[in-house]
Amino acid sequence: MEQNLTLPGPAQSSTLSRIHEASAKFQRYKILLRRRWWFLLLTASIGVCVQALRIAGRPQEFRSLAKLVAGGQLAFNDNVTWREQQADFYGTIIETIESAEMKRRALERVRALNPDVKDAEVEIRVAQTKGSAIFNILATGSEPKYTKIFLDALLDEFIAFRQSIREQAQGKVLQQFLQEVVTKQKLMEDSLERLTKFKAANNILTITNGNNLAAQFLGNLEAQRESQRTTLEDLRLAIANVNAAMETRERMLSAAGAGATAGATDSKGGENMQPTGTVKTSETSPGRNGITMAEQDYLRTKSRITGLKTKLDSLLIQFKQQHPNVQDVTEELAAQKALLASYAEQIEQEMHTQMADIQRRVQVLDAQILDKQKDALDLGGKIAEHDKLEKAAESAKMTYDKLFEKVEGIQSVFNSQADFVAIQERAIPAYENVEDAVLPIVIGLVAGMGVGIVILLLFDRLDDRMNSYSEFQTLFPGEAVLGQVPEQRNRGDVALLRPNDDRHLYAEAFRNIRSSILFKNWQGKPPKTILITSAVPNEGKTTVTSNLAVTMALAGARVLLADCDLRRGGVSELFKLPSTPGLSEALRGKLHWRDAVQETSTRNLDLLARGDVFDQTSEMLLSKTAEEMLREMSEEYDYVIFDSAPVLVADDTASFAPKLDSVLFVVRMSSTMARLSGKALDLLYERQVNIGGVILNRSSSNLKEYTYYNYASYYYAPAKSNPQQDAEPAAAKS
């Protein structure tokens, strides 16, 4: 739709609604099929005719069949075997046989071998038998003899083409391998030549010995230097805290026992190979496992100090501080502490002397290592170069030997290789192709109906006419539906309702609309002046208005039915009453509206006809006279119902509707376009019209959502009948 019609209103979403929507869609398609069945018949007939013309116009055809068989694989691997890649092998065969080049070669072969045979068009189709390597080649042509000859020529050309391709591929492969052999031979000779020159320029005996003596001697020197550096670092830590160092030495001596002295004695003769640095003195040389005289005196003095402290502690338990024995021990303890400090200074001086000696040794080792590094690097480079040249020569020779053996194997394979595709059956004599006409006709029929269905569905998508209540609610969810008037299938105009009307379903629909008006929550005063309109003409608005007025009057209400369609109103024709004088004369002041009111055959129902047709009807409906007339009518009658012109046809309704209490909008099912109804409703809302609800006219009673109306006749007592009528079947009841 062109406008957004989502208006306030109760939203309905339930399982029952979905069932009704499905039924409505089915009914929509049923209506579409009932209306357009001829279109499906037309498209199906066109499909059948096209197939029939194709069959009738098809020339006479002859077919010949031949078979090829393919096996094995054709590919090169390390074992020097050939195999064909199955992934694309079969497809390649089919495409090659059906190619234009093969047809051209076959045509030239036929012309060369059979010059007396006239050329004809031949179609080739290849199909692989499922689950096998057999190919069925079907040739179709207009001449039986030429078709068979052409198929045989095609087979021969295909086999010859494969042989030529295989030979070309073999020659190319062999040539590539030979070129590779020559290249590898040259590489091998170059490697041997470089190795020979290197051996001539260097002492090969020293190099091939495999032992780099300079590197080994360099390793020993580096180990000695690291040992001296470790000893130097130990001495730095000891000088920083002589007492702590001596405590550590004392613990080591206690753990080692007598072996410490022996170890110190053994270290005198190992200046070059000793891990830690040593210094020759008149006393015992210092080391990690040895001890000097000063250190021995330090340890003995420390031991005496410990004994004196113990003795002093025991004397203090028995004697006072001033006791002579205590004084003697205290003085001796002080003397030993002074002696211990002297030994500590002496030890520190010895450590400094040892550090200086080790530093000199480290410098000497650094100089020796620098010289040996140059010799080791030079000899190591020559050894690496010799190994590299020797390995390169061996690798080149091995590669050359393998490639040479492979070339010999390829040549033997090529000499014994056969094609893996062969002719299993040559072309059989061509036979006439008689195609069954039933299947093409059925295909044409189905295709035509399918196209027709697609076109109808496309037109249905473009058609916005509403066929059911569910469709209306989907497009206009905010509009309240007061009721549905079922479609009357009789010919001609629909007669007005009357008391005890036998059209039970039709009458019950208007009673339902009446109840909807009476009991609806109008959020205030119920309406007395009601205008009924529609979007466009021919929606049954006048009939609905008249029958609703009759229904309201039959309920006991005093009703005035006024024909407000001052251009083409036809209410008076339904009641078979004169159309003049009427509302138009009352609006122009020619007479009072009460003088134009006519009584109808229905009790409590009066009619105000249209009157004479005149111009400027919209201006008259906007006048003060119209407002005064409405006030008087509402005071005299219970309900005043106006039948008006369609909204989109004239401005009369849109101008007059705001003056009334409520407006009812009529929509004809399967006829009114949704976009037109939407425009009309939007126009009324813009004029601030109070739309009381929508009446769905000519609804299909076959829908499930309308089923409950079909039981309306159940509540009517059967009429008394005479003996002649007793024989009528009871099925006459609704």
Side-chain angles (χ1 to χ4, degrees):
M1 294 182 59
E2 298 179 3
Q3 308 254 351
N4 184 11
L5 297 177
T6 304
L7 300 173
Q12 297 180 359
S13 176
S14 63
T15 303
L16 185 60
S17 298
R18 288 193 293 270
I19 294 174
H20 288 171
E21 289 177 4
S23 176
K25 289 182 180 179
F26 176 76
Q27 182 67 18
R28 183 180 182 88
Y29 294 139
K30 181 179 178 181
I31 294 172
L32 178 65
L33 184 63
R34 186 173 67 245
R35 290 176 177 173
R36 308 296 181 188
W37 61 269
W38 56 269
F39 188 78
L40 295 180
L41 181 61
L42 175 63
T43 55
S45 301
I46 292 175
V48 172
C49 292
V50 169
Q51 289 292 86
L53 291 175
R54 189 184 67 82
I55 294 173
R58 185 176 55 205
Q60 189 178 19
E61 292 181 348
F62 295 91
R63 290 184 174 180
S64 179
L65 181 66
K67 292 185 178 182
L68 287 176
V69 60
Q73 299 176 336
L74 188 63
F76 184 71
N77 59 18
D78 294 337
N79 297 325
V80 195
T81 59
W82 290 85
R83 59 178 181 170
E84 300 229 353
Q85 301 297 333
Q86 299 289 338
D88 54 1
F89 174 54
Y90 295 150
T92 303
I93 291 178
I94 295 174
E95 291 295 330
T96 303
I97 297 175
E98 294 181 350
S99 65
E101 178 63 20
M102 285 294 101
K103 294 179 181 179
R104 184 188 65 79
R105 292 189 179 191
L107 180 61
E108 292 178 356
R109 188 182 187 91
V110 171
R111 290 175 178 175
L113 299 179
N114 301 275
D116 56 333
V117 178
K118 186 178 179 181
D119 295 344
E121 184 67 24
V122 178
E123 182 181 0
I124 302 296
R125 288 288 179 268
V126 182
Q128 179 186 357
T129 303
K130 186 176 181 180
S132 68
I134 297 176
F135 299 89
N136 301 305
I137 306 174
L138 181 65
T140 304
S142 58
E143 296 292 335
K145 181 180 179 181
Y146 184 84
T147 302
K148 179 180 181 302
I149 294 174
F150 185 86
L151 183 55
D152 284 332
L154 181 67
L155 295 177
D156 294 335
E157 285 296 325
F158 174 71
I159 297 299
F161 172 75
R162 285 187 57 84
Q163 181 66 25
S164 64
I165 292 297
R166 186 169 64 87
E167 292 175 355
Q168 291 177 7
Q170 291 175 351
K172 185 180 295 185
V173 170
L174 186 59
Q175 183 180 3
Q176 291 177 352
F177 272 99
L178 291 176
Q179 291 177 355
E180 189 69 17
V181 168
V182 173
T183 302
K184 297 300 181 183
Q185 184 179 6
K186 187 174 184 306
L187 291 175
M188 180 185 67
E189 293 175 353
D190 292 341
S191 299
L192 292 174
E193 184 179 358
R194 287 194 297 271
L195 180 61
T196 302
K197 290 181 179 180
F198 181 81
K199 289 181 178 180
N202 297 278
N203 187 357
I204 193 62
L205 182 61
T206 303
I207 295 174
T208 56
N209 188 28
N211 295 321
N212 193 339
L213 297 178
Q216 293 180 3
F217 188 72
L218 178 62
N220 292 332
L221 291 177
E222 289 179 347
Q224 292 181 24
R225 184 178 62 180
E226 291 301 320
S227 177
Q228 294 294 335
R229 287 178 176 176
T230 302
T231 303
L232 186 63
E233 185 64 26
D234 291 341
L235 289 174
R236 288 195 183 97
L237 295 175
I239 291 171
N241 193 344
V242 176
N243 294 327
M246 292 309 298
E247 289 178 0
T248 303
R249 181 66 58 86
E250 185 179 6
R251 287 193 296 271
M252 292 174 59
L253 291 174
S254 300
T261 305
T265 304
D266 293 339
S267 64
K268 291 181 181 179
E271 287 185 341
N272 293 331
M273 301 303 294
Q274 185 70 19
T276 59
T278 61
V279 180
K280 286 186 178 182
T281 62
S282 59
E283 302 171 340
T284 304
S285 300
R288 292 191 179 184
N289 297 322
I291 186 169
T292 64
M293 293 299 297
E295 291 174 346
Q296 293 178 7
D297 294 339
Y298 180 90
L299 294 175
R300 285 194 294 270
T301 304
K302 188 176 180 181
S303 177
R304 292 195 199 99
I305 291 172
T306 302
L308 290 174
K309 287 182 178 180
T310 304
K311 184 177 180 181
L312 179 62
D313 291 338
S314 63
L315 290 176
L316 288 174
I317 296 173
Q318 299 177 5
F319 305 106
K320 294 183 179 181
Q321 185 72 28
Q322 293 78 12
H323 194 275
N325 291 338
V326 174
Q327 291 292 331
D328 293 340
V329 173
T330 302
E331 291 175 359
E332 186 177 358
L333 180 60
Q336 291 297 323
K337 287 183 178 180
L339 184 60
L340 183 65
S342 175
Y343 289 149
E345 291 178 359
Q346 186 179 353
I347 292 171
E348 185 176 353
Q349 290 177 0
E350 290 177 354
M351 288 181 178
H352 280 292
T353 302
Q354 191 176 359
M355 282 183 61
D357 183 61
I358 293 174
Q359 289 176 351
R360 287 192 299 273
R361 288 182 178 275
V362 169
Q363 292 176 358
V364 172
L365 290 173
D366 288 340
Q368 291 178 350
I369 288 172
L370 186 61
D371 294 337
K372 293 301 179 181
Q373 281 180 344
K374 295 180 181 179
D375 297 340
L377 288 174
D378 184 34
L379 185 58
K382 290 181 179 180
I383 293 175
E385 182 68 19
H386 177 265
D387 293 341
K388 180 180 178 182
L389 292 174
E390 195 172 38
K391 290 180 180 178
E394 292 178 357
S395 177
K397 186 176 184 307
M398 187 180 298
T399 303
Y400 171 77
D401 293 341
K402 288 184 178 180
L403 192 60
F404 189 79
E405 292 176 0
K406 188 174 292 186
V407 170
E408 291 180 345
I410 290 174
Q411 289 178 341
S412 62
V413 170
F414 285 169
N415 294 332
S416 61
Q417 184 68 40
D419 195 4
F420 288 100
V421 180
I423 300 175
Q424 186 183 37
E425 295 181 8
R426 299 197 70 88
I428 63 175
Y431 59 91
E432 185 178 0
N433 178 33
V434 180
E435 186 176 354
D436 186 12
V438 176
L439 182 60
I441 293 297
V442 172
I443 293 175
L445 177 65
V446 174
M449 292 189 67
V451 172
I453 291 173
V454 171
I455 294 175
L456 286 181
L457 291 177
L458 179 61
F459 280 123
D460 182 67
R461 298 292 294 177
L462 299 176
D463 185 8
D464 63 346
R465 290 180 294 182
M466 299 162 288
N467 295 318
S468 65
Y469 168 81
S470 298
E471 290 185 12
F472 178 83
Q473 284 293 89
T474 301
L475 295 173
F476 300 91
E479 298 297 337
V481 177
L482 298 179
Q484 302 182 67
V485 179
E487 183 179 9
Q488 300 298 301
R489 302 185 182 279
N490 57 312
R491 295 181 178 274
D493 295 334
V494 179
L496 293 175
L497 290 174
R498 58 187 181 276
N500 299 323
D501 200 308
D502 57 357
R503 294 171 296 175
H504 305 303
L505 185 61
Y506 190 66
E508 194 65 26
F510 283 99
R511 295 189 187 101
N512 180 56
I513 297 172
R514 178 188 64 192
S515 299
S516 298
I517 296 173
L518 292 176
F519 302 109
K520 181 180 178 181
N521 182 13
W522 294 98
Q523 297 180 355
K525 183 180 178 181
K528 296 192 66 176
T529 56
I530 302 173
L531 183 140
I532 300 178
T533 186
S534 62
V536 293
N538 300 322
E539 294 196 56
K541 166 183 57 62
T542 300
T543 303
V544 170
T545 304
S546 302
N547 284 324
L548 180 59
V550 171
T551 305
M552 299 286 281
L554 291 176
R558 296 186 68 253
V559 181
L560 174 62
L561 175 60
D563 192 350
C564 194
D565 188 356
L566 302 179
R567 303 175 187 271
R568 298 186 59 182
V571 177
S572 57
E573 296 177 1
L574 291 177
F575 286 90
K576 296 180 174 55
L577 295 175
S579 60
T580 58
L583 181 60
S584 63
E585 286 83 2
L587 289 174
R588 288 181 291 176
K590 293 184 177 181
L591 76 168
H592 195 270
W593 65 271
R594 290 188 180 88
D595 297 333
V597 171
Q598 306 176 55
E599 293 184 359
T600 65
S601 58
T602 303
R603 189 176 61 179
N604 297 328
L605 177 61
D606 293 338
L607 173 65
L608 180 59
R610 176 195 64 199
D612 294 332
V613 178
F614 69 99
D615 296 332
Q616 299 180 347
T617 55
S618 179
E619 289 79 358
M620 297 303 300
L621 292 172
L622 290 172
S623 64
K624 295 290 184 180
T625 304
E627 295 180 1
E628 182 65 23
M629 189 184 304
L630 284 175
R631 185 183 61 79
E632 295 175 356
M633 290 177 179
S634 62
E635 292 176 354
E636 187 167 341
Y637 291 92
D638 296 329
Y639 294 98
V640 181
I641 301 176
F642 290 89
D643 178 35
S644 66
V647 176
L648 299 180
V649 173
D651 188 57
D652 297 358
T653 302
S655 300
F656 188 56
K659 298 178 180 294
L660 279 76
D661 296 338
S662 181
V663 172
L664 305 183
F665 193 82
V666 177
V667 176
R668 180 177 174 179
M669 294 287 95
S670 303
S671 177
T672 307
M673 295 182 179
R675 61 178 180 272
L676 298 180
S677 299
K679 285 182 178 180
L681 288 170
D682 288 343
L683 180 59
L684 294 176
Y685 279 116
E686 289 175 359
R687 301 291 177 90
Q688 299 183 2
V689 175
N690 180 23
I691 299 179
V694 178
I695 300 174
L696 303 181
N697 189 26
R698 301 193 67 176
S699 296
S700 176
S701 58
N702 295 327
L703 295 175
K704 290 184 179 180
E705 62 189 24
Y706 206 90
T707 303
Y708 71 95
Y709 283 120
N710 293 329
Y711 298 100
S713 60
Y714 174 81
Y715 297 99
Y716 289 88
K720 295 181 180 181
S721 58
N722 53 32
Q724 289 78 9
Q725 293 175 337
D726 291 339
E728 295 182 1
K733 293 189 291 182
S734 174

